[in-house]
Amino acid sequence: MAKKFEALRAKMSPESRFLADKKAQGMLAEMPLKELRQARGLSQKKLAEALHIQQPAIAKMEKRTDMYISTLRSHIEAMGGKLEILASFPDGTVQINNFSDLG
Amino acid sequence: MAKKFEALRAKMSPESRFLADKKAQGMLAEMPLKELRQARGLSQKKLAEALHIQQPAIAKMEKRTDMYISTLRSHIEAMGGKLEILASFPDGTVQINNFSDLG
């Protein structure tokens, strides 16, 4: 069953495999959207302006535990970032790109 | 503006910073959900069974360009994986954990 996946992994550079594994081991800083905004030095007001929405909508958004991927993407892009969606498995990590083409 | 973010980054290990940067440079394999399922050696039928839904729903899902994060998470978990949501910036990458506690 893991054969095709292993074949895909074999096409990755050794460095890329190593990095994917480290990623899967959770070596990145983790934080909720609110902390990320603060870490970027942005106020709710400023982020609301960038998204052309009202400030209370930002407060509401930051409390949500589920949302459309497109909504999250806009939110992160308004902070100057890029959304990346990964699926990690014991034998490797891949980036899901179904959602990359959204406007 | 990037000061707080730099402070957060400073708390990461050099290895972790290096990895986050490589991640941001897009060194992971990219694929849509359908290819990922095939790479995992799963049929639409088998995945549908794992999700307790009908097979056509899988076909439909794999064509979608937007969905709720919780839906995507179930889909990836049914394949035996773990969903990870990253926000990458020119000066670093963080994992967003607003959505980690969903059932």
Side-chain angles (χ1 to χ4, degrees):
Chain A
M1 160 175 161
K3 219 163 185 185
K4 267 188 122 174
F5 199 69
E6 279 305 315
L8 275 163
R9 244 174 100 69
K11 286 185 206 158
M12 297 165 76
S13 70
E15 187 186 15
S16 183
R17 274 200 298 276
F18 171 81
L19 294 170
D21 294 343
K22 289 295 168 190
K23 178 65 214 62
Q25 288 159 27
M27 294 189 60
L28 291 180
E30 275 190 48
M31 64 187 80
L33 284 175
K34 182 177 182 171
E35 272 178 40
L36 176 58
R37 172 178 55 72
Q38 291 166 340
R40 300 307 299 176
L42 287 166
S43 63
Q44 285 189 346
K45 187 167 177 289
K46 207 150 186 180
L47 186 55
E49 281 168 12
L51 282 163
H52 307 290
I53 59 178
Q54 299 295 308
Q55 180 174 342
I58 298 287
K60 210 171 156 187
M61 177 101 70
E62 289 178 346
K63 282 179 196 144
R64 287 174 68 176
T65 54
D66 199 8
M67 61 180 74
Y68 268 103
I69 289 166
S70 57
T71 306
L72 179 60
R73 182 184 307 277
S74 308
H75 196 98
I76 289 173
E77 287 179 353
M79 290 192 246
K82 194 174 163 294
L83 174 67
E84 290 178 23
I85 308 229
L86 306 185
S88 71
F89 296 85
D91 54 348
T93 299
V94 297
Q95 190 163 347
I96 308 294
N97 61 6
N98 290 61
F99 319 108
S100 315
D101 303 325
L102 298 173
Chain B
M1 160 175 159
K3 220 164 186 183
K4 266 188 125 173
F5 199 69
E6 279 305 316
L8 274 163
R9 241 173 101 69
K11 287 185 206 155
M12 296 164 77
S13 70
E15 188 187 15
S16 183
R17 275 200 298 277
F18 172 80
L19 294 170
D21 293 344
K22 288 296 167 187
K23 178 64 215 63
Q25 288 159 28
M27 293 189 60
L28 291 180
E30 275 190 49
M31 65 187 78
L33 284 175
K34 183 178 181 171
E35 272 178 41
L36 176 58
R37 172 177 55 73
Q38 291 166 341
R40 300 307 298 175
L42 288 165
S43 63
Q44 284 189 346
K45 188 167 175 290
K46 207 150 186 178
L47 185 56
E49 280 167 12
L51 283 163
H52 307 290
I53 59 177
Q54 299 296 309
Q55 180 174 342
I58 298 288
K60 211 172 156 187
M61 177 101 71
E62 289 178 345
K63 282 180 196 143
R64 287 174 67 177
T65 54
D66 200 7
M67 62 181 72
Y68 268 103
I69 289 166
S70 57
T71 306
L72 178 61
R73 181 184 308 277
S74 308
H75 196 97
I76 288 173
E77 287 179 353
M79 289 192 248
K82 193 174 164 294
L83 174 68
E84 290 178 23
I85 309 230
L86 306 184
S88 70
F89 296 85
D91 54 349
T93 299
V94 297
Q95 191 163 347
I96 308 294
N97 61 6
N98 290 61
F99 319 108
S100 314
D101 303 326
L102 299 173

